[in-house]
Amino acid sequence: MISVAEALARVLALGAPLAPEEIDLDQGLGRVLAAPAVAQLDQPPFDTSSMDGYAVGAAATGDSLQVIGESAAGARFSGVLSAGEAVRIFTGAPLPAGALRVVPQEDVLRDGDHIAITEDQSSLFVRTAGDDFRAGDTHFPRRPLRPADLGLLAAMNVPRLSVHRRARVAIIPGGDELVPPGGRPGPDQIIASGDLAIAAMVERAGAIALRQPIVPDHVDAIRAAFTAAADADVVVTIGGASVGDHDLIAPTARAMGAVIDFHRIALQPGKPLMAGTLGHQVFIGLPGNPVSAQICTLLFILPLLDVLRGLPGAAPKTARVRLAADLPANGKRQHYMRATLTDEGALPVRSQESNLQSLMALADGVIIRPIGAGPAKCGEMVDYIAF
């Protein structure tokens, strides 16, 4: 069995950024730029006032000035300001020619068309042209675009974006024991649930989840499911990834030309994970237990999807948290223990069995227990991944 770190490195090496496509700016939330966006203008495009007040030249406290006009946002004063004159100005309005600063309206007394400056502050209250960005400046964050990015790109007058295409992820649940939600399970059957959870994780990561029908444990049915998923960038199977007589995913995939890079890792839960390629596709075989499948998706598939959308692939971010209970020594597999966050710290759920979905839904994240870690006492610091 290989380590979690080696398995992740091998999975990431299977992927590459997907080809770029152009989209409208309003569709850009959560997408990743494939090329820098270039500002088409200066912002602000001209010197503007940051206050409501009066634009003046070289005036000082006590000076009396004649108000000769007004400058508002979208309607500038077209004349030239001379000595002894002022222009009524509003926030965001262009600074008139000849003006050097703005005196806030609370610092003047107005009498008809004249003002007297009562207080002289040190600030000019002027936003200079290009103070935010200049034409030709670029924006190229190496992360999914946020609302603030879209606002900036709009101000830069960039109506279209070059972004990496969203990965298409085919999700194939397998097993004679499965029936879909809403179905009537037979005496030896259960409701399929892992595919829905994995699809939700994939969609939240910015990819397109393509849920396939449940595939029975039959070679011809498995082959047909792989063929139906030929347009996907990533093929994810759930179940049938172990080495029992009914675990047919690996031999069927190999018979169709798949190259399996590894099969089984030192991970709890999720030991029977496999990964490789199937033609142009990345192929991931997840364990059938729903908790194992979700942990493997967190650790391997989500970082792979980052690579496909043009980001650096990396392990999920960890934080250091305090343990809220004693833990025994760990064994020969790196253990990801479901836990809730309490005022005292991270508290492991009552059982770490990989079939208990109620405890997966209860958990806020997982505590990472390295291979061979000794007992840990309540209050010790441990690595933790938040969901």
Side-chain angles (χ1 to χ4, degrees):
M1 293 186 292
I2 64 174
S3 69
V4 171
E6 183 178 350
L8 176 59
R10 291 192 186 185
V11 168
L12 297 180
L14 299 173
L18 296 174
E21 62 180 1
E22 281 207 351
I23 62 170
D24 289 336
L25 174 60
D26 62 5
Q27 300 300 308
L29 184 64
R31 303 297 295 272
V32 177
L33 290 176
V38 181
Q40 302 301 301
L41 41 69
D42 295 345
Q43 179 65 18
F46 38 73
D47 292 347
T48 66
S49 174
S50 65
M51 298 285 285
D52 291 342
Y54 295 86
V56 301
T61 302
D63 286 353
S64 178
L65 307 171
Q66 183 180 5
V67 180
I68 62 170
E70 179 179 288
S71 184
R76 70 169 61 226
F77 175 74
S78 59
V80 177
L81 197 63
S82 301
E85 296 177 336
V87 167
R88 180 72 166 116
I89 196 167
F90 300 94
T91 303
L95 200 69
L100 300 177
R101 63 190 179 100
V102 173
V103 180
Q105 61 188 21
E106 59 267 26
D107 294 339
V108 305
L109 288 176
R110 181 159 181 172
D111 183 11
D113 63 355
H114 283 76
I115 61 167
I117 300 176
T118 59
E119 186 173 343
D120 206 353
Q121 300 189 33
S122 59
S123 176
L124 301 179
F125 299 108
V126 174
R127 297 169 179 155
T128 58
D131 182 55
D132 196 357
F133 54 81
R134 295 281 186 183
D137 286 352
T138 60
H139 186 56
F140 193 39
R142 308 320 301 136
R143 54 170 171 72
L145 293 175
R146 304 168 181 166
D149 296 309
L150 301 187
L152 171 59
L153 293 166
M156 292 168 67
N157 200 22
V158 178
R160 300 272 292 172
L161 306 176
S162 176
V163 297
H164 289 284
R165 180 172 60 80
R166 295 175 68 194
R168 294 167 58 84
V169 182
I171 300 169
I172 305 173
D176 291 335
E177 76 278 14
L178 299 178
V179 296
R184 291 179 174 272
D188 301 318
Q189 292 184 305
I190 59 173
I191 301 297
S193 57
D195 60 321
L196 187 62
I198 301 309
M201 295 175 75
V202 164
E203 291 276 355
R204 189 168 68 173
I208 300 170
L210 307 171
R211 291 174 60 213
Q212 307 295 304
I214 296 169
V215 178
D217 293 320
H218 191 279
V219 170
D220 289 343
I222 296 171
R223 291 179 67 94
F226 279 132
T227 301
D231 290 337
D233 303 294
V234 182
V235 175
V236 177
T237 59
I238 305 175
S242 194
V243 292
D245 293 344
H246 298 280
D247 295 310
L248 302 174
I249 295 295
T252 304
R254 283 192 175 98
M256 296 182 68
V259 177
I260 305 301
D261 187 76
F262 65 83
H263 192 171
R264 298 204 313 162
I265 59 176
L267 168 66
Q268 182 181 355
K271 179 176 72 173
L273 178 79
M274 61 179 158
T277 56
L278 181 59
H280 70 281
Q281 300 167 306
V282 179
F283 168 56
I284 306 288
L286 295 176
N289 273 325
V291 174
S292 301
Q294 291 177 56
I295 294 297
C296 287
T297 298
L298 171 70
L299 297 179
F300 304 105
I301 294 179
L302 300 190
L304 171 65
L305 295 180
D306 276 345
V307 170
L308 297 183
R309 61 178 175 169
L311 298 174
K317 290 182 179 179
T318 61
R320 296 287 285 174
V321 300
R322 199 173 303 280
L323 270 177
D326 293 345
L327 292 178
N330 194 36
K332 297 180 179 180
R333 291 186 285 159
Q334 188 152 299
H335 195 180
Y336 291 77
M337 303 182 69
R338 285 158 288 164
T340 58
L341 282 183
T342 69
D343 291 340
E344 289 74 34
L347 179 66
V349 298
R350 64 176 175 80
S351 171
Q352 296 297 321
E353 290 294 326
S354 60
N355 64 314
L356 301 178
Q357 295 197 77
S358 60
L359 299 183
M360 185 66 175
L362 176 67
D364 300 307
V366 287
I367 297 167
I368 305 173
R369 295 286 284 150
I371 293 172
K377 292 292 187 181
C378 179
E380 287 186 24
M381 303 300 290
V382 292
D383 286 330
Y384 175 85
I385 301 173
F387 292 154

